[in-house]
Amino acid sequence: MQTPVFDANASGAGNLGDLPEWNLSDLYSSPDAPELKRDMDWLEQACADFAADYEGHLAGLGAQGMLDCVLRYEKIDMVAGRIMSFIGLRYYQNTTDAERAKAMSDAQDRITAFTTPLVFFSLEVNRIDDAVLDGWFAGNADLARYKPIFDRLRLMRPYQLSDELEKFLHDQSTVGAAAWNRLFDETISGLEFVIGDETRGLEATLNDLSDQDRAKRETAARELSRVFGENVKLFARVHNTLSKEKEIEDRWRGMPTPQTGRHLSNQVEPEVVEALRNAVVNAYPKLSHRYYELKRGWLGLDRMQVWDRNAPLPMESDRRIGWDEARETVLSAYAGFDPEMARLAQPFFDDGWIDAPVKPGKAPGAFAHPTVSNVHPYVMLNYLGKPRDVMTLAHELGHGVHQRLAAGQGELLASTPLTLAETASVFGEMLTFRRLLKDAPSQKERKVLLAGKVEDMINTVVRQIAFYDFECKLHAARRNGELTPDDIGELWMSVQGESLGPAFDFMEGYETFWSYVPHFVHSPFYVYAYAFGDGLVNALYAVYEEGDADFQKKYFDMLKAGGSKHHKELLAPFGLDASDPAFWDKGLGMISGFIDELEAMEG
């Protein structure tokens, strides 16, 4: 089952036009649809039959027998994914609704129970001799198509536990990490912030941090700090428990670092991530430090405060962009690259595949959920009409287009590693930005667009690598004992000054702002994938600008590959190699070049 790709920089309404909401009927017509019960009943029986037919027998199946086994496993994965996609998407629409929360919990419990007997599959595959498997692949082309799945499973072979322990870990997951994830989600969605005489949720309050009115930004920042502070003990408990649970499992598995599991699932070598991290940290002075010093001057401030980080520029319009204009902007940018890209994006607008309005209880942020390979993705936004919201739309539609193209690989091979999952989304943003820049009616508008893009790139690259460093420090410190909220706050602040630079002062209470970032809870060490994706796309875009005549074809081929190829193989047609440290410098050079252009405008 694939999972939604949550994104970091979505905004938290006005006369924006008719904002679309999801039509989930392509999954199931309703929570009590007979088809949903039918599929749940089928799943229970199919899992039991699969275990009865195959447990203890994988090594003797032969090539055709293993192919039949894989196809049955894939169908089980697809049906489970369809059920959880429907129930999960309903839940994200209103996480504070008791009926939806119960449906989500009950479905997780039941499907976990049904699928526990399947844990043997990966364990037995990893006990088959390499020569035997290679012989099967050589003799059966249909089975050989699934070789990347077997390769991925076998990466875990050194860290595999006994069959009994693996089944136990799978079985108890609903009262472990999944339960703490749910507690975090429901707490975040239920937080109330008081601004003047208005009570609002997190998304709308975060939105005030990018308001033109500095006093309004400060009020929002201080209210965020107050509410986070009131809840910080609970958030510290969530982080302590999840990081300790991870440490215990990692120790039993013999994983050398807390990051190892993420690198394995991303199919990326630790040294590649380390090269990315070091390149970004070394570039802080010429990226974020330099940009925020420029911004400090534009804002006319002696010192920047944290509530100024996402402030609009003084010359920036506070015009809200209606939904129709946002749709036209993104689709025309996509079509300018290749009409096929716009064609793939169009049904999201026409067929109820986007949920855009801000609503009470709705999950914050934005994501693209691929659902299952025989349906289609769904995109969630919290659209408020800001220019960054248009870029978020472009970003999530990029994910959606990627997921549609990769679906041709089938359920087991469609899912893309996180490091490559950001490729089409960031590329879609870049296409939209370049179109807006080309059409800018004045130097002032060009400056605003450039500055906005630099800020987004800093949020995507600098901020996410700082987040990654925070997580590395958090998990390392937790190994030495329980962390108090103050301990976690100190770790958080240790990366803030380093990454943001000397232009900033940090208000009292900012040390709690780690508490609302969902990635730390849902997907430990996920965040470096944003920087990976941005750097990769910047390098890709440079190749596109150089005029490679076959670029569009190569690009679509890369997206269609889904999870069937390694990043080295996917980038080779473009003459790129992420294991080369110069690769990352090339991507960071694009950001630095934009800042050069902004500095030149000051002359």
Side-chain angles (χ1 to χ4, degrees):
M1 183 180 75
Q2 300 182 56
T3 53
V5 179
F6 279 89
D7 280 310
N9 295 317
S11 302
N15 296 319
L16 300 173
D18 187 14
L19 296 179
E21 298 187 35
W22 280 332
N23 174 7
L24 299 178
S25 62
D26 288 342
L27 292 165
Y28 296 101
S29 59
S30 70
D32 54 2
E35 295 82 5
L36 179 54
K37 181 182 184 309
R38 176 203 68 200
D39 284 356
M40 189 70 91
D41 292 343
W42 178 90
L43 185 66
E44 182 176 21
Q45 189 62 49
C47 290
D49 291 346
F50 185 91
D53 291 346
Y54 291 116
E55 188 165 10
H57 305 303
L58 292 191
L61 285 179
Q64 185 59 46
M66 179 56 82
L67 175 62
D68 294 341
C69 174
V70 168
L71 292 173
R72 281 177 63 178
Y73 189 95
E74 186 167 47
K75 185 175 180 185
I76 287 170
D77 201 50
M78 188 176 292
V79 172
R82 189 186 195 108
I83 293 169
M84 285 311 303
S85 293
F86 176 73
I87 292 171
L89 291 172
R90 283 191 75 246
Y91 171 71
Y92 292 132
Q93 284 182 301
N94 189 353
T95 62
T96 56
D97 178 81
E99 180 271 320
R100 295 178 192 227
K102 174 177 164 51
M104 178 81 158
S105 180
D106 288 350
Q108 284 176 328
D109 287 348
R110 290 188 70 189
I111 289 178
T112 300
F114 296 167
T115 55
T116 294
L118 308 187
V119 171
F120 79 89
F121 179 76
S122 60
L123 306 179
E124 286 192 30
V125 164
N126 282 347
R127 288 198 289 266
I128 299 174
D129 188 84
D130 286 340
V132 172
L133 267 182
D134 289 342
W136 292 354
F137 295 140
N140 189 310
D142 291 333
L143 179 63
R145 197 175 79 80
Y146 289 95
K147 185 176 183 295
I149 299 296
F150 290 86
D151 291 345
R152 215 170 300 157
L153 287 176
R154 290 163 90 78
L155 288 174
M156 282 296 294
R157 185 159 44 170
Y159 313 111
Q160 191 166 292
L161 300 172
S162 69
D163 292 14
E164 190 174 39
L165 269 177
E166 292 287 359
K167 287 179 181 178
F168 168 76
L169 287 173
H170 179 86
D171 218 13
Q172 66 89 49
S173 63
T174 55
V175 292
W180 289 97
N181 275 239
R182 182 178 160 195
L183 174 64
F184 172 83
D185 289 343
E186 291 176 359
T187 303
I188 282 289
S189 296
L191 292 180
E192 293 185 341
F193 303 85
V194 180
I195 305 290
D197 57 1
E198 181 186 354
T199 299
R200 53 167 73 160
L202 175 63
E203 200 69 39
T205 310
L206 288 170
N207 187 57
D208 275 1
L209 295 179
S210 53
D211 196 272
Q212 281 280 13
D213 185 340
R214 192 176 191 223
K216 201 170 180 180
R217 297 198 303 270
E218 179 178 357
T219 298
R222 296 197 182 281
E223 179 63 3
L224 287 162
S225 168
R226 180 188 71 80
V227 175
F228 293 158
E230 288 178 354
N231 292 273
V232 74
K233 288 183 179 178
L234 187 149
F235 291 127
R237 170 62 47 226
V238 171
H239 282 67
N240 268 292
T241 304
L242 287 172
S243 54
K244 183 62 178 178
E245 181 188 57
K246 187 176 192 316
E247 185 269 323
I248 292 168
E249 185 171 332
D250 286 351
R251 175 160 37 87
W252 275 75
R253 292 189 181 283
M255 289 192 171
T257 73
Q259 300 84 3
T260 298
R262 176 62 62 201
H263 299 337
L264 288 170
S265 67
N266 283 346
Q267 299 159 60
V268 65
E269 301 75 17
E271 56 271 21
V272 172
V273 178
E274 191 65 12
L276 163 65
R277 182 262 172 204
N278 291 340
V280 174
V281 171
N282 291 336
Y284 284 169
K286 67 178 182 183
L287 300 181
S288 47
H289 297 189
R290 189 161 60 117
Y291 174 75
Y292 287 128
E293 186 57 30
L294 271 177
K295 185 168 185 175
R296 184 190 64 75
W298 296 333
L299 295 174
L301 300 172
D302 292 329
R303 300 287 299 159
M304 292 262 280
Q305 302 296 328
V306 290
W307 54 79
D308 299 316
R309 184 172 64 82
N310 285 327
L313 302 185
M315 69 290 279
E316 191 170 325
S317 166
D318 60 0
R319 180 177 78 90
R320 291 293 177 265
I321 298 164
W323 181 251
D324 289 347
E325 183 182 345
R327 179 185 60 213
E328 176 55 32
T329 298
V330 175
L331 286 177
S332 62
Y334 277 23
F337 171 72
D338 193 296
E340 177 66 4
M341 198 162 169
R343 187 191 69 77
L344 288 162
Q346 188 69 52
F348 285 86
F349 296 99
D350 297 344
D351 298 338
W353 299 3
I354 299 177
D355 197 282
V358 177
K359 294 174 283 191
K362 183 176 175 180
F367 63 72
H369 193 314
T371 72
V372 286
S373 57
N374 64 349
V375 185
H376 57 75
Y378 283 91
V379 161
M380 193 191 84
L381 307 171
N382 280 276
Y383 188 82
L384 290 165
K386 295 198 165 193
R388 280 200 177 104
D389 292 347
V390 179
M391 300 306 285
T392 299
L393 172 61
H395 182 106
E396 300 307 338
L397 279 178
H399 279 308
V401 166
H402 193 174
Q403 290 159 356
R404 289 196 73 192
L405 287 167
Q409 293 288 342
E411 192 65 15
L412 295 180
L413 287 166
S415 186
T416 311
L418 292 182
T419 41
L420 294 167
E422 295 300 325
T423 304
S425 54
V426 180
F427 197 86
E429 272 192 84
M430 183 63 79
L431 290 171
T432 304
F433 164 71
R434 293 287 188 172
R435 182 173 189 88
L436 290 169
L437 196 66
K438 182 172 73 73
D439 295 342
S442 67
Q443 184 80 336
K444 184 182 88 167
E445 284 293 313
R446 184 178 178 84
K447 182 176 181 177
V448 169
L449 284 165
L450 269 173
K453 185 59 178 171
V454 168
E455 291 206 10
D456 285 344
M457 292 170 115
I458 286 173
N459 282 337
T460 303
V461 177
V462 170
R463 290 284 285 169
Q464 301 306 320
I465 289 299
F467 284 1
Y468 176 67
D469 276 358
F470 165 71
E471 285 192 275
C472 291
K473 291 183 175 188
L474 175 76
H475 284 261
R478 181 65 180 92
R479 293 188 170 210
N480 297 320
E482 178 93 5
L483 300 174
T484 67
D486 287 346
D487 292 334
I488 301 176
E490 282 181 27
L491 298 175
W492 172 254
M493 294 307 297
S494 74
V495 302
Q496 296 303 307
E498 179 190 21
S499 61
L500 295 179
F504 279 93
D505 290 331
F506 296 93
M507 70 173 187
E508 185 178 347
Y510 190 64
E511 65 274 6
T512 63
F513 273 53
W514 52 269
S515 59
Y516 78 94
V517 181
H519 306 74
F520 303 155
V521 174
H522 289 286
S523 307
F525 306 107
Y526 177 108
V527 288
Y528 75 72
Y530 289 117
F532 193 108
D534 199 88
L536 188 154
V537 166
N538 291 344
L540 263 182
Y541 203 88
V543 175
Y544 173 52
E545 285 192 313
E546 287 160 10
D548 182 336
D550 294 325
F551 185 90
Q552 278 86 339
K553 180 184 183 306
K554 292 177 185 174
Y555 180 74
F556 283 119
D557 286 346
M558 178 175 68
L559 300 189
K560 288 174 184 174
S564 68
K565 294 181 180 178
H566 187 265
H567 64 79
K568 220 172 181 67
E569 194 179 351
L570 289 172
L571 290 174
F574 302 95
L576 299 171
D577 181 359
S579 63
D580 179 359
F583 173 88
W584 301 114
D585 292 332
K586 185 173 187 176
L588 295 171
M590 179 179 284
I591 309 175
S592 188
F594 287 158
I595 300 173
D596 290 344
E597 191 172 342
L598 287 167
E599 283 183 336
M601 289 178 180
E602 299 298 290

